[in-house]
């Protein structure tokens, strides 16, 4: 976890302890707010599809505590956008002070975010962004520069192949994409494509979604291995999908990683995946910081003080190989 304390985070906020927090809108946030002057936050989370997501939820729960001045109403959408829309409507009815949205997909938010705006509730996007006609429907987006992550992965691969004397060799790639239309999937795909399109000898055989989930990625990787006998590189748009891909490669007797045939690239750099990098099972892993709670907190505190906040706030990140 230590590794994942985002560089842009102010340490003062990390001192806040883990206290009791609101559960799923059951308790009366009105009384909590009135007696303690707490800021009521309605948070709509994507689900629990990956290690990254669990760490991200932990960060929110550890940040939005009563000790830190909050009453948290947390809703897990279980990977369904309609659940997120419903949660936002509930938050509006409950007159929360802020809505924090970690959007499953980028599109489909205009109507419900307009309802939040109408109700005068600021919406802060965390981790993933949205595509809406009117940008004033949200106050700020705090997350990763996913496009930069994808581009870095492409640059890393180009340099690695050059170092191995393979710069001119034909290279076949496949991609296990995340949830389609999510900011992480779109950005990582677009960023990598910027490098891919400049390499005449690289061929992207196929890109298919594994929905950021290990079991699904394993199935897709099995299909890739059966369909394409000569894969040189698998790009996994998160660590859990890299684990799924590794399971499929092991099962089919393929060698992979630093000491094998198929180069494995991943994103997130969760603890278990870093162990796989150390063992040489994953060649390179591009960090994505899940510890967004303190940054959202900082933004809310600024808004409470009547200060301006940046429309887009990117977190600084690195990579491991
Ligand atoms: O990479 C993946 C998760 O949006 C950055 O979502 C997040 C992505 C992360 O399920 O593991």
């Amino acid at each position: 976890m230590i590794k994942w304390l985002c560089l842009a985070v102010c340490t003062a906020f990390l001192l806040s302890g883990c206290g009791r927090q609101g559960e799923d809108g059951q308790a009366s946030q009105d009384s909590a707010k009135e007696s303690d002057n707490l800021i009521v936050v309605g948070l709509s989370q994507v689900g629990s599809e990956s290690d990254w997501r669990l760490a991200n939820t932990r960060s929110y729960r550890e940040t939005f505590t009563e000790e830190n001045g909050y009453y948290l109403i947390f809703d897990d959408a279980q990977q369904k956008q309609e659940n997120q829309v419903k949660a936002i409507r509930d938050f509006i009815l409950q007159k929360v002070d802020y809505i924090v949205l970690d959007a499953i997909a980028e599109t489909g938010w205009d109507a419900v975010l307009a309802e939040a705006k109408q109700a005068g509730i600021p919406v802060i996007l965390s981790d993933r962004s949205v595509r809406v006609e009117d940008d004033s429907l949200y106050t700020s987006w705090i997350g990763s520069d996913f496009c930069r992550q994808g581009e870095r992965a492409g640059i890393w691969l180009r340099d690695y192949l050059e170092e191995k004397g393979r710069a001119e060799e034909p290279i076949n790639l496949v991609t296990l994409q995340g949830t389609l239309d999510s900011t992480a999937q779109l950005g990582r795909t677009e960023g990598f494509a910027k490098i891919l399109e400049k390499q005449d000898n690289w061929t992207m055989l196929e890109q298919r979604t594994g929905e950021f989930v290990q079991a699904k990625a394993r199935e897709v990787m099995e299909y890739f291995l059966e369909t394409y006998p000569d894969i040189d590189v698998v790009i996994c748009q998160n660590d859990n999908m890299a684990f799924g891909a590794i399971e499929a490669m092991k099962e089919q007797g393929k060698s992979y990683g630093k000491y094998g045939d198929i180069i494995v690239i991943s994103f997130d750099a969760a603890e278990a995946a870093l162990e796989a990098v150390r063992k040489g099972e994953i060649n390179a892993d591009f960090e994505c910081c899940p510890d967004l709670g303190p940054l959202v907190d900082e933004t809310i505190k600024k808004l409470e003080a009547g200060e301006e906040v940046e429309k887009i706030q990117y977190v600084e990140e690195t990579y491991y190989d």
Side-chain angles (χ1 to χ4, degrees):
M1 269 313 293
I2 299 294
K3 177 190 76 58
W4 260 351
L5 297 181
C6 307
L7 297 177
V9 171
C10 167
T11 46
F13 291 113
L14 300 174
L15 298 174
S16 61
C18 269
R20 193 168 67 79
Q21 55 207 3
E23 283 294 339
D24 308 326
Q26 297 303 312
S28 156
Q29 73 275 17
D30 280 347
S31 58
K33 192 183 170 190
E34 275 157 25
S35 57
D36 298 326
N37 252 334
L38 299 175
I39 300 167
V40 182
V41 169
L43 194 154
S44 173
Q45 175 63 296
V46 168
S48 49
E49 73 283 3
S50 65
D51 291 0
W52 190 97
R53 186 65 53 203
L54 299 180
N56 179 238
T57 293
R58 200 160 46 234
S59 170
Y60 294 137
R61 287 198 181 278
E62 286 176 6
T63 303
F64 297 114
T65 60
E66 289 189 14
E67 287 81 349
N68 200 20
Y70 290 100
Y71 187 90
L72 175 67
I73 308 173
F74 182 88
D75 188 89
D76 179 338
Q78 302 183 342
Q79 300 259 57
K80 292 204 176 75
Q81 189 167 20
E82 64 261 33
N83 290 345
Q84 292 204 291
V85 171
K86 189 180 168 302
I88 292 172
R89 295 213 162 107
D90 287 345
F91 296 154
I92 296 170
L93 283 175
Q94 293 172 87
K95 298 188 168 60
V96 300
D97 297 309
Y98 294 88
I99 290 172
V100 177
L101 170 62
D102 196 322
I104 281 167
E106 287 211 341
T107 50
W109 298 105
D110 295 82
V112 74
L113 295 192
E115 290 166 35
K117 188 180 176 187
Q118 182 95 39
I121 304 173
V123 173
I124 297 168
L125 306 174
S126 183
D127 164 28
R128 298 183 184 171
S129 190
V130 300
R131 228 170 316 145
V132 281
E133 293 261 311
D134 170 8
D135 271 3
S136 77
L137 294 183
Y138 64 89
T139 305
S140 183
W141 167 39
I142 300 158
S144 299
D145 188 342
F146 296 113
C147 190
R148 177 88 192 100
Q149 291 176 2
E151 200 176 347
R152 268 189 164 168
I155 292 168
W156 177 88
L157 180 62
R158 190 194 59 201
D159 294 350
Y160 179 77
L161 290 170
E162 199 174 308
E163 203 184 293
K164 300 278 166 197
R166 301 176 66 189
E168 308 297 326
E169 210 178 279
I171 301 292
N172 290 326
L173 303 94
V174 288
T175 302
L176 287 159
Q177 292 183 303
T179 308
L180 297 179
D181 196 31
S182 68
T183 310
Q185 177 267 318
L186 293 168
R188 288 169 185 166
T189 304
E190 188 192 324
F192 190 82
K194 285 189 187 177
I195 308 303
L196 173 74
E197 67 198 18
K198 289 190 220 143
Q199 313 300 312
D200 294 340
N201 56 323
W202 292 11
T203 307
M204 183 60 75
L205 299 169
E206 192 169 340
Q207 315 205 62
R208 220 178 237 236
T209 185
E211 287 157 21
F212 285 129
V213 173
Q214 185 159 338
K216 175 78 187 165
R218 178 185 174 145
E219 279 172 28
V220 178
M221 190 65 190
E222 281 167 6
Y223 154 80
F224 281 160
L225 292 170
E226 279 154 18
T227 314
Y228 307 104
D230 189 19
I231 296 172
D232 297 296
V233 184
V234 57
I235 313 283
C236 311
Q237 288 186 344
N238 82 344
D239 287 338
N240 293 82
M241 294 198 296
F243 298 146
I246 288 172
E247 282 172 3
M249 289 186 284
K250 267 189 188 153
E251 192 190 70
Q252 298 201 16
K254 301 281 181 191
S255 74
Y256 56 88
K258 199 170 170 185
Y259 309 106
D261 295 329
I262 303 179
I263 297 169
V264 183
I265 291 178
S266 184
F267 295 87
D268 283 356
E271 211 45 59
L274 284 188
E275 188 48 37
V277 173
R278 274 180 223 118
K279 286 201 259 166
E281 293 189 326
I282 293 176
N283 295 70
D285 204 333
F286 295 80
E287 186 191 36
C288 184
C289 179
D291 196 19
L292 299 174
L295 293 174
V296 178
D297 168 42
E298 200 179 83
T299 298
I300 291 177
K301 297 274 165 71
K302 276 189 185 158
L303 293 170
E304 286 290 294
E307 291 170 31
E308 293 272 313
V309 297
E310 294 289 328
K311 193 76 182 179
I312 298 181
Q313 303 184 55
Y314 285 134
V315 175
E316 284 179 48
E317 286 158 343
T318 181
Y319 70 93
Y320 303 87
D321 65 358

